[in-house]
Amino acid sequence: MFSIPKNAVYQRINRRKFLELGGGAASALGVGGMTLGLSSTVTRSKVQAASSEDAKWKQYAGSKLVFMSENTPPSFAIRDNIQAFTDKTGIEVTILTDDLPVVQQKVGIDLRGGKADYVLNYVQDKPIGSPFADFYADMTPMFGDETLPQDPEGYGDEAWFPNFLSACGRFYEKGKIIALPYDAAIACTFYRQDLFEANSKDFEAEYGYRLEFNKDSTWQNVIDMAAFFKKAKEAGKDVPYGYAQHQGSFAWTTQLDIQRFLFANGRWMDWNIDDVYGSKEPGKTNWGDESSIAMLGKFKELADVCHPDNLANGTLELNTVYQSGNIAMQTQYHEFAASIEDEKTSRAAGGKTAYAPCPKGDPKWIKNGGEAVNGTNCGIGGIGINGNASDDLKRAAYIFAIWSVSQENQYNVLKGLGGTPTRKSVLEREDVKKAQQRPTNMPNALTFDPVYNFGIKDPNFVLGPKIPNGNEYHSILAAEVQKCLSNEQSPEEAAKSIQTQLDELNGAG
């Protein structure tokens, strides 16, 4: 979802190259014309339900597909192994990668423009799925189609971890599925176990309890820990700062940071809508209520004891701060464990880092009578098919989609670049079970217990909100909260401003 593997390849057309192509010549290149002449074309051999499996896989031999993806581990691993797919099917696939905001812009133009330049898309649940759901092909008619190859594990909810198929595949209605779970980024806690142990005596003398983190640790405990490390650091002790938030320019992850904090304390949500399907008409927001104001005050209290560059740290930057040894703890996405455990680049490697669920809400903070939970949220990236494509192009794309999310591919990505499985069966493999304990050759597996066995289960997991104006919502929330954290407005002013803007955005003002 967020991490960028080494040797990432970005393929963009710059202005000079566009002019070299003669400007309008680029538009004559056909599907995928703006990707330097790459085009999606279909060649088909008819097959019947009784045809061999080999014939079903190879019925579109000679076809060419273009897949536009975020720079995420599965896409790099699959790109490096794409010859295996071509050998199996005869289909050529070009995988283009970029940062998520760029992917969002490119596929948005393609989808809304009635084109299918990128017949396969990386469908990140809220930033891409929410605004563009109506433009994607419904994959359900192809599930079980006897003239297409099928995955033996199937595509029902039982094949994936709980709620994963809904997160990236279901939007605003029950029947349609627009994407299959391709990768996942689930929030959990990374903390420097070595530093906690070394400083526990001093912390306990000041706060009256041991410096340790587990599933019962609350957000108040996190504030205490961050304040302790900051005070020690500024007094000249050789320790890092304690904590930092996601407050950089990537508005979606800023929103996710705030969302899990509020959800932990009373299971508070932005709107009273279905958390699985979302809503095209969410109505009035809950921002501006007593809970949101109180929680924003606590969120600022945490920000005040964070790393001094707190407002500049986006997802990647925050992980770099942790890797470099400048903070003792972060709430981060579990796909980053692979980089944390790389002893060549990380000062937090070599058994120094422990992994735990997200912090729990504090019952004393709760204003709405709700439950204190380990608020855990996610980004579930799906692989979807452009609804503007021809039927045969959709079928060819489906063959690649099901291959890309197979157990074997997910297992290979986990072993190679450090992927994050979405199929439950990957975790049932004996070597993956073993890899969840040190020493391990699959570092992301160190997070699997707090993530898959705890964080994604009820009542801790929150999926939404899915609304058509989701990206505008992310931007409003990030801008107003950052004003609060930088003392430009009070928590109440920020919460009320968010309320006004969101109600106007959704026609509920």
Side-chain angles (χ1 to χ4, degrees):
M1 173 183 164
F2 302 114
S3 59
I4 302 177
K6 296 175 183 177
N7 303 318
V9 175
Y10 300 84
Q11 298 191 40
R12 300 180 183 171
I13 182 166
N14 59 32
R15 184 173 182 274
R16 179 176 176 180
K17 186 64 179 178
F18 181 82
L19 292 175
E20 288 175 357
L21 289 169
S27 64
L29 294 172
V31 179
M34 291 303 291
T35 54
L36 303 184
L38 301 169
S39 59
S40 293
T41 59
V42 174
T43 301
R44 184 183 183 188
S45 301
K46 291 285 186 179
V47 298
Q48 306 297 325
S51 298
S52 68
E53 283 300 302
D54 184 65
K56 291 176 186 178
W57 280 103
K58 290 185 174 177
Q59 63 186 289
Y60 290 103
S63 299
K64 297 180 180 180
L65 307 176
V66 179
F67 175 27
M68 185 73 206
S69 174
E70 185 189 5
N71 39 31
T72 188
S75 294
F76 289 94
I78 289 172
R79 184 197 63 198
D80 291 343
N81 191 41
I82 198 65
Q83 189 60 45
F85 176 76
T86 300
D87 291 345
K88 186 179 184 68
T89 65
I91 300 171
E92 294 182 20
V93 180
T94 299
I95 300 176
L96 307 178
T97 61
D98 220 317
D99 299 332
L100 184 59
V102 177
V103 174
Q104 179 195 71
Q105 291 174 351
K106 288 184 175 181
V107 302
I109 292 170
D110 197 39
L111 293 164
R112 286 180 168 160
K115 299 180 180 179
D117 289 1
Y118 311 114
V119 66
L120 288 150
N121 291 179
Y122 181 84
V123 184
Q124 188 56 261
D125 49 4
K126 274 79 75 177
I128 294 179
S130 290
F132 306 133
D134 290 345
F135 297 93
Y136 284 105
D138 181 5
M139 301 177 82
T140 59
M142 291 182 276
F143 298 158
D145 184 331
E146 294 183 350
T147 65
L148 286 166
Q150 302 293 339
D151 193 292
E153 293 184 8
Y155 317 100
D157 290 278
E158 69 283 352
W160 319 97
F161 290 106
N163 295 309
F164 278 25
L165 183 60
S166 292
C168 70
R170 295 186 174 109
F171 294 83
Y172 315 127
E173 58 183 299
K174 293 184 178 181
K176 184 178 180 181
I177 293 177
I178 67 166
L180 295 174
Y182 180 75
D183 71 352
I186 313 298
C188 64
T189 302
F190 296 29
Y191 67 98
R192 287 287 299 275
Q193 190 169 232
D194 60 325
L195 295 174
F196 276 43
E197 292 173 354
N199 292 279
S200 185
K201 186 178 291 186
D202 291 342
F203 179 87
E204 189 170 2
E206 184 170 351
Y207 288 94
Y209 63 93
R210 285 187 54 78
L211 181 56
E212 58 186 13
F213 196 92
N214 56 50
K215 65 180 177 60
D216 295 316
S217 299
T218 68
W219 279 108
Q220 180 61 62
N221 297 144
V222 174
I223 291 175
D224 293 348
M225 294 167 186
F228 168 80
F229 276 104
K230 180 181 180 182
K231 181 180 177 181
K233 174 79 172 176
E234 294 179 348
K237 192 172 182 178
D238 185 20
V239 294
Y241 286 92
Y243 193 80
Q245 299 165 325
H246 293 85
Q247 292 296 328
S249 59
F250 196 4
W252 178 39
T253 53
T254 298
Q255 176 266 323
L256 289 172
D257 220 41
I258 300 159
Q259 178 191 49
R260 60 178 165 267
F261 188 91
L262 272 74
F263 187 76
N265 293 281
R267 303 189 76 198
W268 184 96
M269 293 195 293
D270 304 74
W271 287 275
N272 298 323
I273 60 176
D274 190 303
D275 191 43
V276 173
Y277 300 105
S279 175
K280 291 184 177 181
E281 297 179 348
K284 286 186 173 294
T285 181
N286 291 322
W287 276 98
D289 68 5
E290 183 183 15
S291 292
S292 64
I293 294 169
M295 289 306 99
L296 201 49
K298 289 294 184 181
F299 197 71
K300 185 182 186 307
E301 186 179 338
L302 175 58
D304 288 343
V305 291
C306 278
H307 187 281
D309 293 335
N310 194 49
L311 287 171
N313 292 321
T315 312
L316 298 172
E317 294 86 356
L318 176 58
N319 195 59
T320 299
V321 172
Y322 182 85
Q323 270 188 263
S324 61
N326 289 315
I327 53 174
M329 179 167 48
Q330 63 172 342
T331 306
Q332 188 57 277
Y333 302 97
H334 77 305
E335 65 177 352
F336 282 102
S339 63
I340 294 303
E341 298 297 330
D342 185 348
E343 295 191 23
K344 299 185 187 70
T345 59
S346 174
R347 295 181 63 184
K352 296 176 182 176
T353 294
Y355 303 93
C358 291
K360 194 171 186 176
D362 191 312
K364 297 189 296 294
W365 294 4
I366 295 173
K367 305 295 183 183
N368 64 357
E371 183 180 2
V373 299
N374 298 79
T376 303
N377 54 9
C378 64
I380 307 295
I383 183 166
I385 301 169
N386 189 318
N388 300 322
S390 68
D391 288 345
D392 278 324
L393 198 52
K394 290 174 186 174
R395 286 169 57 90
Y398 176 81
I399 292 173
F400 176 78
I402 65 165
W403 177 84
S404 71
V405 298
S406 66
Q407 180 197 138
E408 195 63 27
N409 259 329
Q410 293 197 358
Y411 172 68
N412 289 334
V413 175
L414 172 61
K415 286 197 305 179
L417 292 176
T420 47
T422 59
R423 280 193 179 273
K424 291 189 296 187
S425 60
V426 178
L427 266 68
E428 294 168 3
R429 299 176 75 132
E430 288 302 318
D431 58 341
V432 176
K433 291 178 183 178
K434 184 178 178 181
Q436 294 178 43
Q437 304 295 327
R438 298 180 189 276
T440 181
N441 60 351
M442 303 177 199
N444 278 353
L446 296 171
T447 67
F448 288 176
D449 185 52
V451 164
Y452 294 121
N453 295 333
F454 189 86
I456 65 171
K457 295 186 175 181
D458 289 334
N460 303 309
F461 204 31
V462 56
L463 296 180
K466 294 176 178 177
I467 59 172
N469 293 321
N471 291 302
E472 292 83 354
Y473 150 68
H474 300 154
S475 297
I476 290 168
L477 198 66
E480 297 305 315
V481 170
Q482 287 165 358
K483 288 178 188 176
C484 175
L485 302 192
S486 59
N487 297 311
E488 294 180 42
Q489 57 187 359
S490 69
E492 182 173 5
E493 289 170 333
K496 293 293 186 182
S497 179
I498 293 168
Q499 177 187 32
T500 299
Q501 293 182 65
L502 292 183
D503 283 349
E504 290 177 353
L505 177 69
N506 294 305

